[in-house]
Amino acid sequence: MEFSFSYYIGLAGIMVFTISGATAALEHKEHHHDVFSVFFTGFITAIGGGTLRDITLGNYPVSWVKDENILWAIFVGFLLVILLPKFVTKLRNELFLFDTLGIGIYTVLGTRIALDHGVNAFASALLGMISAIFGGVIRDTLMNEVPFIFRKEIYATACLAGSVLYLILNEWECQANLNLIVSASLIVVIRLIAVRLNLGLPKLKIF
């Protein structure tokens, strides 16, 4: 197995999505969550998008089954939430840190994986977006909340913008790690600005 820069960045994305899901479970006031339910929510948030991507690509066994380091990253993220809940919750609430970093990393890596499987550019961008948002959709559904993609906030659009930038820079033969950082950063910046300024796409009306 190649332990490259992008590989470790991918593990970091797994960990931050685990923290996002587990923290959401801890913060939810309508339901009582024990240790297992907190872990499961973090787990499904971390692997949901990547699993759907792998199934779509026919990439078996799916990534978290064949690579135990992914499970270790999930476990570390879960431990951080359990051992440092106040610190983790403060970061998440003030900076939207974990969701934002997670979607940035997952989008770009998902796009790259799709390209590596010979998928066309348009489908690669969509699979990158799915990799990033589907775990959060499952998380919000479990929490009985409206998923981010159905809210006013710019979410999936930021992912698509990052995917498109990655594809453009890849076509221009930009260095792979630099492309990853720049494209993921674009997603993070768009997301943070959209949340801070309460920006959203125009609402469609049916006449």
Side-chain angles (χ1 to χ4, degrees):
M1 180 180 296
E2 179 187 359
F3 294 98
S4 61
F5 174 77
S6 62
Y7 176 79
Y8 288 111
I9 289 294
L11 291 181
I14 291 283
M15 187 175 69
V16 296
F17 261 149
T18 302
I19 292 172
S20 172
T23 305
L26 281 178
E27 291 178 341
H28 204 267
K29 298 179 180 180
E30 294 183 7
H31 301 103
H32 168 74
H33 291 280
D34 58 22
V35 172
F36 177 78
S37 65
V38 172
F39 173 79
F40 178 77
T41 306
F43 172 78
I44 203 68
T45 303
I47 60 94
T51 299
L52 180 60
R53 178 202 64 225
D54 288 344
I55 292 173
T56 303
L57 293 172
N59 184 23
Y60 298 109
V62 295
S63 56
W64 63 271
V65 174
K66 64 183 177 183
D67 184 1
E68 68 172 316
N69 289 331
I70 290 177
L71 298 178
W72 280 114
I74 291 172
F75 184 66
V76 170
F78 170 70
L79 281 183
L80 287 175
V81 172
I82 296 300
L83 298 178
L84 302 170
K86 293 183 179 180
F87 176 72
V88 169
T89 300
K90 182 180 179 180
L91 283 179
R92 182 176 186 271
N93 287 342
E94 291 183 358
L95 302 176
F96 301 92
L97 180 65
F98 303 117
D99 282 331
T100 303
L101 290 176
I103 65 171
I105 294 169
Y106 255 45
T107 298
V108 175
L109 290 182
T111 304
R112 178 173 174 173
I113 290 170
L115 284 177
D116 289 343
H117 280 76
V119 176
N120 66 73
F122 182 66
S124 295
L126 291 177
L127 284 171
M129 180 190 70
I130 289 171
S131 297
I133 69 173
F134 197 74
V137 170
I138 299 175
R139 176 199 64 210
D140 292 339
T141 302
L142 290 174
M143 296 295 99
N144 198 30
E145 295 183 0
V146 178
F148 270 116
I149 60 171
F150 299 130
R151 303 181 197 177
K152 177 186 176 182
E153 297 176 13
I154 294 176
Y155 193 71
T157 309
C159 297
L160 282 176
S163 287
V164 170
L165 178 60
Y166 180 85
L167 292 169
I168 292 172
L169 294 179
N170 184 68
E171 189 67 23
W172 290 348
E173 299 182 351
C174 176
Q175 200 276 333
N177 292 336
L178 178 61
N179 190 356
L180 189 157
I181 293 171
V182 171
S183 300
S185 297
L186 176 66
I187 297 170
V188 170
V189 169
I190 292 175
R191 177 79 178 125
L192 289 176
I193 291 175
V195 171
R196 182 61 64 100
L197 300 181
N198 194 29
L199 301 177
L201 296 177
K203 184 177 180 180
L204 291 178
K205 295 181 180 181
I206 300 177
F207 297 96

